[in-house]
Amino acid sequence: MIDLRSDTVTKPDDEMREAAAGAAVGDDVYGEDPTVNELEDRAAEAVGKEAALFVPTGTMGNQVAARVHTDRGQEAVVERESHVYKWELGGFAQHSGLQLRPVDGGSRGVPTGEQVRGAYVAEDVHRPGTGLLSLENTHNSKGGVAIDPERIGAAAAAARDLGVPVHLDGARVFNAATALDVSVTEITDHVDSVMFCLSKGLGAPIGSMLAGSEAFVEEARRTRKLFGGGMRQVGVVAGPGLRALENVSDLATDHENARALAEGIADVEGLSVQEPETNIVLADVSGTGLEPDHVLDRLEDRGVRATPFGPGTVRFCTHRDVDREDVERAVEGVSGALA
């Protein structure tokens, strides 16, 4: 079975397992886990921030950031197809008491500076005011598009001019930097905080990093505890996270495999395939006359797993556990399933 549902399905390699087994550990809530401390230092340096915090999941990282940046009742400006808006169970409202003001970021999934200014609400006796702008890169729902630093910078600059902090859901921000051939800091320098996942393209079995200023991370550490994320001897999962940071250079291979997959299935009758920019391939299956769930059943029978991704759409996601031979077999499976 070739599993292309997500880059979260990767298994830790032998080096990661060895890193977990041999990790020096301590109680992280007391700040005494040396492996976690090293991971946080290296993660902060990687994205050009003063400090970083290890969190169990990317969703928790985004939710902690929102809680730290805002006051209850404020508004958060979000892109209407963003992960924090669509896929995090209304967490901004549930955990931080935020009202959400979604804006249409177009095909790239990022609002313009003009849109940010138009969505801004000033605090007064009647209105709570805008407390956060949340951006995303790569943009999952748009098919893993890699948003260039200039677009991120324009949206962030508009928010900052209004005194609004900016958080970046950068779950796959290293994929964006790789696709754009820029340093990741060219993207992250524009924002106040950034979350990135170790457990997606970088291949760790668990964990994400939340980075920002020292003051932000200090408060984020308290909020992580509030949300139940204050773990103890975390070095056993931070060790593989350190190894994952060394896998950034491998992301280009995932992108090449995604392009090969897209090209291979583009000629299958009934499929309309979006050209991938990173490791996500979206295929509109409407032309097959089948619902996505039926398409997925057929694919599974042919040894290929994908995931439904909205009306008429199926998503394939390449990752480090999928090589070119697997991609070629997947193309054969898709072709056979929909012949």
Side-chain angles (χ1 to χ4, degrees), residues 25-34 36-37 40 53-54 56 218 221-226 228-235:
V25 299
D27 192 319
D28 180 50
V29 174
Y30 293 138
E32 296 175 353
D33 191 301
V36 175
N37 294 342
E40 291 176 342
L53 178 70
F54 181 85
E218 181 179 356
R221 194 174 298 276
R222 285 171 48 85
T223 304
R224 182 188 68 175
K225 175 69 172 176
L226 172 67
M231 299 180 286
R232 298 299 177 174
Q233 286 71 33
V234 193

Side-chain angles (χ1 to χ4, degrees), residues 5-329:
R5 290 173 298 170
S6 175
D7 46 9
T8 61
V9 303
T10 56
K11 302 296 192 298
D13 58 25
D14 290 342
E15 291 180 336
M16 285 188 179
R17 293 178 185 275
E18 291 170 5
V25 299
D27 192 319
D28 180 50
V29 174
Y30 293 138
E32 296 175 353
D33 191 301
T35 308
V36 175
N37 294 342
E38 181 183 356
L39 175 60
E40 291 176 342
D41 288 344
R42 286 182 54 185
E45 181 180 5
V47 294
K49 299 301 180 186
E50 291 179 352
L53 178 70
F54 181 85
V55 290
T57 69
T59 293
M60 180 179 283
N62 288 332
Q63 297 300 322
V64 168
R67 183 65 179 260
V68 173
H69 281 308
T70 62
D71 296 324
R72 288 188 174 277
Q74 287 186 312
E75 292 193 359
V77 177
V78 299
E79 205 281 323
R80 70 176 187 175
E81 297 291 329
S82 64
H83 194 278
V84 298
Y85 186 53
K86 291 181 66 176
W87 307 115
E88 297 189 11
L89 288 171
F92 278 17
Q94 295 204 64
H95 298 308
S96 300
L98 298 178
Q99 302 182 90
L100 300 186
R101 184 173 290 269
V103 297
D104 183 358
S107 61
R108 305 303 298 172
V110 59
T112 64
E114 182 179 3
Q115 286 178 303
V116 172
R117 288 186 287 271
Y120 173 76
V121 174
E123 180 181 351
D124 61 24
V125 69
H126 302 289
R127 308 180 79 176
T130 301
L132 180 67
L133 170 64
S134 181
L135 304 174
E136 183 176 336
N137 199 12
T138 64
H139 197 295
N140 184 21
S141 291
K142 298 296 184 182
V145 296
I147 302 169
D148 61 84
E150 291 75 21
R151 290 177 187 263
I152 296 289
R160 282 182 169 164
D161 287 345
L162 297 165
V164 175
V166 184
H167 172 66
L168 178 65
D169 174 358
R172 298 183 176 93
V173 71
F174 287 98
N175 289 89
T178 299
L180 296 167
D181 194 24
V182 300
S183 68
V184 72
T185 56
E186 291 184 52
I187 298 171
T188 58
D189 280 351
H190 294 288
V191 301
D192 298 290
S193 61
V194 56
M195 181 282 296
F196 69 87
C197 290
L198 301 167
S199 57
K200 290 188 168 69
L202 301 182
I206 188 173
S208 294
M209 306 304 302
L210 177 62
S213 68
E214 289 183 358
F216 169 83
V217 170
E218 181 179 356
E219 186 60 28
R221 194 174 298 276
R222 285 171 48 85
T223 304
R224 182 188 68 175
K225 175 69 172 176
L226 172 67
F227 286 0
M231 299 180 286
R232 298 299 177 174
Q233 286 71 33
V234 193
V236 293
V237 287
L242 279 168
R243 179 67 185 82
L245 290 177
E246 300 174 8
N247 291 338
V248 172
S249 61
D250 296 339
L251 295 176
T253 300
D254 296 341
H255 299 177
E256 292 169 3
N257 285 337
R259 288 192 292 272
L261 175 65
E263 291 170 2
I265 66 175
D267 293 332
V268 174
E269 186 175 355
L271 293 188
S272 176
V273 182
Q274 178 177 315
E275 183 178 355
E277 296 183 16
T278 54
N279 66 323
I280 292 174
V281 178
L282 297 186
D284 185 332
V285 301
S286 303
T288 65
L290 301 171
E291 293 297 321
D293 286 346
H294 295 155
V295 171
L296 294 176
D297 288 342
R298 289 191 177 193
L299 293 180
E300 185 116 6
D301 289 342
R302 295 282 182 155
V304 180
R305 282 183 174 165
T307 192
F309 212 65
T313 303
V314 167
R315 187 187 78 170
F316 303 87
C317 188
T318 56
H319 49 79
R320 60 186 298 104
D321 286 0
V322 172
D323 59 23
R324 185 56 64 89
E325 182 179 346
D326 293 325
V327 168
E328 292 171 356
R329 288 172 52 213

